[in-house]
Amino acid sequence: RFSFKSNTNELRTWLNKRKSSLEKRRQPFEALWKELREYYEPTLGKGLLEGDPEQVASQRDDEKILNTTPRLLLHRMAAGLQSGITNQSRRWFNFAAIDKNLQEYAAVREWLDKTAEAVSSVMNRSNVYPALDQTYLHLGQFGTSAGIIYPDEEANVHVSMVDAGDYWLGDDKRGRVTSILERKSMTLDQIVEEFGKGWTPDRIHERIKQGRGDERETVLHLVQKHIRPDLVKDIAKDRKFMSIYWLDGQGRGDHNDGILAIRSFSYNPIIAPRWWTNNSVYGIGTGELGLGDTKQLQQLEADKLALVEQEIDPAMAAPASMKGWPLQTGAGGITYYPDMQGKGGVPVTRMFETRAQIQPLLEAINATEQRLRQTFYADLFALMINLNMQPKQMTAREVNELSSEKVALLGPILTRLNTDLLNPLVDAVFAIAIEQGLVEEAPPILQGQELKVEYVSSLHVEQAAASRLTGLYKIAEFTGSLAQIAPSAIDKLDVDQMVDVAATSLVEFGVVRDDKKVAALRQARHEQEVQMAQAQAQAQQAKQMASAAKDLSQTPVGQGGTALDAILTGGRA
């Protein structure tokens, strides 16, 4: 049996209080989250439901979904964010030095590019991108998503996403998520495999011996900043984050009071992006913003179906005298009835006329769906998909103007995702890659220098184009207009610097040459031009000399001689 250095009784008491505190903060959001999953994607947020995990996972909860447009828009937005921000087919981030002067060194830029490529390769080998797909779905529906990034022996990195309802969050004074409590349902076999036989209670081993290894226990997992070295003595003080696992329940009588593992991280392993926040650790997403329209859409769809049913099988009215008569209601059926006291006419009629009501209802449904498309940025992602299908006559400037307004609407969301999702993700994978020896040693001039991450995804490039490149276009046009009056105005523009500024937002390292290579290229071109000019001058001079010699040879001087002869003989006849 193994034991911890920490006092497990005191630690377990503290963990129970921490759990209660985090649960209290999330409780006001739970009713809303349950409603969101009923109207959008019911397969998400299963952790909000009570009961056996296997039963909960298998049950359907889409009874309130008659029109699937909101559900499809949620998935479309998640796919658009994945493609526009973290597209696996291309590298969507670069590393750069905080000190811009260091960027001028080719060795520095080459190392930064190789390092970014190494981190990108780690992501490609791992489950990062499937996890990001789930992240965007949860983010759109609940406004919050959560996951933990672990080192992995096989794939270098593993991202464990936590379903809504199975996590609780805590933040610091700046609103950054620094704590996550995760609830995991694990089989007894999985518990022993994960934590080891010497750390698990005897009661679990007894049940496994009885053949009950597939039965489940709830394991709680707290990850937060390591701010209690006095309480948690199994972690070095320089480790940034602590990780504690324990069995849910009282823990009395269990080995180590039910605590299964005490681990640590050298980096922040928590990713917890929020779509938008309002003085809370939990966010507000497009699901909540569109919930009113979504509920209205389902009601309108129910009304439409009721009208369609009335059209197909309408309620009818008939005189009491026909009660008991066999009515042939099938196609081609004929029903014979007496001549209603000689008055004729059709005694069976519709009770309600619904045809005129369907069109306004369809228009209301269409208007509601259109508002939801705007809520879920469907027009933006459609624009991104169709940009390459625009007429070839469109210039880059026209494409930029077409997309800048729509991308600007998503700008605040991109900024928050940089802080809550992308920065922690890249930082964590970078730290793991260094620990696993996957990153080469930095050049001496770069060692000890702080780095930053620059994002070059499609959406980030469009966002930069909407601001930085627009400014470059305007100053170029303005200066060009002035140059028509005063050509010297061109001297004010540093064209090389303009290209460098655009390149930092648009392309990866190597596409734009550094200043030294450009200077060498221009010097070589200048020398070549000088040599060509000299060669042309020499050729022209030789041509002129040949022409002069010809003229002299044709000019008679003296008795039968020519001017050329006189020059060659020194004037002697």
Side-chain angles (χ1 to χ4, degrees):
R1 311 298 290 167
F2 304 127
S3 299
F4 297 102
K5 297 178 183 179
S6 307
N7 185 321
T8 55
N9 185 34
E10 292 181 0
L11 180 56
R12 182 59 185 265
T13 300
W14 180 83
L15 289 171
N16 290 338
K17 291 180 179 179
R18 188 82 178 100
K19 174 176 178 287
S20 177
S21 176
L22 292 171
E23 287 176 340
K24 186 176 180 180
R25 290 193 69 181
R26 198 194 75 179
Q27 188 175 3
F29 293 86
E30 293 175 2
L32 172 63
W33 287 3
K34 290 178 180 179
E35 191 172 25
L36 290 171
R37 64 178 303 276
E38 290 176 344
Y39 283 97
Y40 288 101
E41 182 50 77
T43 61
L44 304 180
K46 294 282 189 177
L48 295 164
L49 306 180
E50 297 180 357
D52 179 80
E54 301 289 353
Q55 294 286 341
V56 169
S58 63
Q59 70 186 40
R60 290 185 58 186
D61 305 298
D62 57 356
E63 294 83 1
K64 294 184 178 181
I65 300 178
L66 301 176
N67 185 316
T68 60
T69 296
R71 195 175 188 178
L72 296 176
L73 288 174
L74 172 66
H75 283 267
R76 183 182 179 89
M77 187 184 76
L81 291 172
Q82 178 80 294
S83 176
I85 299 177
T86 51
N87 193 329
Q88 188 176 4
S89 64
R90 55 164 292 181
R91 200 170 80 206
W92 43 269
F93 64 92
N94 290 323
F95 290 128
I98 296 293
D99 185 353
K100 294 183 178 180
N101 294 326
L102 296 176
Q103 296 287 115
E104 301 298 328
Y105 293 91
V108 170
R109 296 184 64 185
E110 183 177 0
W111 182 86
L112 292 171
D113 185 66
K114 286 184 177 179
T115 301
E117 188 61 36
V119 173
S120 180
S121 297
V122 170
M123 292 183 180
N124 289 334
R125 290 193 298 269
S126 69
N127 73 324
V128 165
Y129 291 101
L132 284 173
D133 183 53
Q134 290 297 309
T135 297
Y136 295 130
L137 279 173
H138 281 81
L139 190 62
Q141 179 158 311
F142 300 107
T144 309
S145 185
I148 303 174
I149 307 172
Y150 300 93
D152 187 80
E153 295 181 356
E154 297 181 2
N156 300 117
V157 170
H158 179 77
V159 181
S160 176
M161 297 308 303
V162 190
D163 192 14
D166 282 330
Y167 67 82
W168 296 261
L169 302 177
D171 55 357
D172 61 15
K173 63 181 181 180
R174 292 182 175 85
R176 296 175 299 193
V177 176
T178 54
S179 303
I180 179 172
L181 174 62
E182 172 191 16
R183 181 176 61 197
K184 306 178 70 169
S185 176
M186 302 178 67
T187 68
L188 303 183
D189 289 334
Q190 290 172 344
I191 291 175
V192 174
E193 181 183 3
E194 173 66 26
F195 303 107
K197 185 176 181 180
W199 296 103
T200 49
D202 292 335
R203 60 183 178 86
I204 289 182
H205 300 300
E206 291 298 326
R207 291 160 64 188
I208 292 177
K209 290 179 181 179
Q210 297 170 8
R212 300 159 60 189
D214 288 317
E215 292 182 356
R216 292 182 172 269
E217 286 274 350
T218 299
V219 176
L220 297 175
H221 178 208
L222 175 67
V223 178
Q224 71 167 53
K225 280 187 174 181
H226 184 27
I227 59 176
R228 293 298 307 272
D230 58 319
L231 181 64
V232 185
K233 300 178 181 180
D234 299 83
I235 302 175
K237 294 181 179 180
D238 61 345
R239 300 292 282 182
K240 295 182 179 179
F241 280 77
M242 64 182 188
S243 167
I244 305 175
Y245 296 83
W246 73 99
L247 291 168
D248 194 15
Q250 295 299 318
R252 294 177 180 176
D254 281 343
H255 178 59
N256 287 331
D257 295 288
I259 296 177
L260 300 172
I262 299 178
R263 300 170 181 172
S264 64
F265 297 93
S266 63
Y267 56 90
N268 181 1
I270 303 171
I271 52 173
R274 283 77 54 83
W275 189 263
W276 175 58
T277 60
N278 185 20
N279 298 322
S280 173
V281 68
Y282 298 102
I284 300 169
T286 51
E288 182 176 350
L289 296 177
L291 184 57
D293 279 330
T294 298
K295 295 172 74 172
Q296 177 181 332
L297 179 63
Q298 303 307 330
Q299 183 59 54
L300 290 171
E301 190 71 24
D303 293 342
K304 185 192 77 172
L305 293 175
L307 288 179
V308 170
E309 187 177 4
Q310 280 288 339
E311 283 295 315
I312 296 174
D313 189 14
M316 306 298 290
S321 60
M322 293 190 65
K323 186 175 182 180
W325 280 63
L327 300 179
Q328 304 297 323
T329 58
I334 300 177
T335 299
Y336 296 94
Y337 53 88
D339 183 16
M340 306 301 290
Q341 299 179 356
K343 296 182 179 179
V346 180
V348 181
T349 60
R350 293 171 59 108
M351 290 189 65
F352 308 104
E353 182 56 51
T354 58
R355 296 176 185 175
Q357 301 175 24
I358 289 182
Q359 187 58 37
L361 193 57
L362 293 176
E363 292 175 358
I365 290 174
N366 182 66
T368 306
E369 290 179 342
Q370 183 59 34
R371 288 196 301 271
L372 284 170
R373 290 188 182 94
Q374 294 175 348
T375 302
F376 284 90
Y377 298 91
D379 51 349
L380 168 62
F381 297 119
L383 172 66
M384 292 178 58
I385 294 173
N386 294 326
L387 273 181
N388 293 331
M389 300 175 63
Q390 298 291 340
K392 293 183 179 180
Q393 291 79 5
M394 289 187 67
T395 64
R397 174 68 183 278
E398 291 170 332
V399 172
N400 175 56
E401 291 178 346
L402 179 65
S403 60
S404 60
E405 179 182 355
K406 298 183 181 299
V407 173
L409 298 176
L410 200 60
I413 308 302
L414 274 179
T415 301
R416 175 164 290 281
L417 289 181
N418 291 350
T419 303
D420 282 359
L421 174 63
L422 303 183
N423 288 347
L425 174 63
V426 175
D427 289 347
V429 177
F430 179 52
I432 293 172
I434 291 177
E435 291 177 353
Q436 296 179 349
L438 302 176
V439 176
E440 297 179 2
E441 185 178 359
I445 194 174
L446 194 60
Q447 292 182 7
Q449 297 292 327
E450 188 176 354
L451 303 180
K452 64 179 179 178
V453 184
E454 295 178 342
Y455 298 107
V456 290
S457 70
S458 300
L459 279 174
H460 285 93
V461 168
E462 289 295 333
Q463 186 183 34
S467 55
R468 179 177 295 183
L469 296 186
T470 298
L472 294 178
Y473 280 129
K474 288 184 177 180
I475 189 63
E477 289 180 352
F478 179 74
T479 306
S481 300
L482 289 180
Q484 297 179 7
I485 304 173
S488 60
I490 295 294
D491 300 336
K492 289 290 292 182
L493 279 186
D494 188 340
V495 178
D496 287 353
Q497 185 62 28
M498 292 176 69
V499 173
D500 287 341
V501 170
T504 58
S505 301
L506 299 177
V507 296
E508 299 175 3
F509 168 76
V511 176
V512 177
R513 298 184 177 94
D514 61 32
D515 293 343
K516 291 183 178 180
K517 290 183 178 179
V518 171
L521 182 65
R522 289 172 176 170
Q523 180 64 26
R525 184 186 298 121
H526 174 70
E527 293 176 357
Q528 184 179 11
E529 290 174 351
V530 170
Q531 293 174 358
M532 291 178 62
Q534 291 176 346
Q536 290 178 354
Q538 292 173 357
Q540 183 66 26
Q541 184 178 6
K543 183 178 180 180
Q544 292 175 352
M545 292 178 64
S547 177
K550 181 179 179 180
D551 292 340
L552 290 173
S553 65
Q554 296 176 353
T555 303
V557 175
Q559 299 178 354
T562 65
L564 180 60
D565 295 332
I567 292 174
L568 295 176
T569 59
R572 297 189 302 271

